[in-house]
Amino acid sequence: MIELHPEFITKNGQKEFAVLPYEEFLKLQEILEDLEDLRDLRSAEEEDKDSPEYSLQEVKQMLEM
C-alpha cells in the first residue's frame, strides 16, 4: 500500500485541503486508474458471460468459409 505524506491547509481551524507530494499524487492517480480498469473489465466480463465462446480453430474454420 502507498504511504501518503499529506500537508493540511486549514480554514477557520478546520482542515480544508490536503496537499500531497507530486510523486505520491501520481502513484495514487495510477492506482485509481488501475481500479477503474479492473471495474470496467469485470463489468465487460459480466455482460459477456452468456455469449458463445469459440476456439481459435473454430474461428479459423469460420473465416475459411
Side-chain angles (χ1 to χ4, degrees), residues 32-63:
L32 290 172
E33 288 170 357
D34 289 347
L35 286 172
E36 185 176 350
D37 290 345
L38 179 59
R39 185 191 68 201
D40 292 344
L41 175 62
R42 287 181 175 166
S43 176
E45 287 175 340
E46 181 66 25
E47 288 175 13
D48 290 343
K49 72 179 182 180
D50 295 327
S51 297
E53 295 182 14
Y54 301 101
S55 69
L56 180 58
Q57 186 61 32
E58 290 171 320
V59 172
K60 287 180 179 179
Q61 289 174 349
M62 287 184 237
L63 292 173

Side-chain angles (χ1 to χ4, degrees), residues 5-21:
H5 301 90
E7 293 288 329
F8 298 102
I9 298 173
T10 60
K11 181 178 181 181
N12 299 324
Q14 299 291 323
K15 291 180 182 176
E16 188 79 13
F17 298 96
V19 180
L20 295 174

Side-chain angles (χ1 to χ4, degrees), residues 1-2 26-36:
M1 189 62 153
I2 184 173
L26 290 177
K27 184 64 179 169
L28 193 55
Q29 189 175 36
E30 181 182 330
I31 290 169
L32 290 172
E33 288 170 357
D34 289 347
L35 286 172
E36 185 176 350

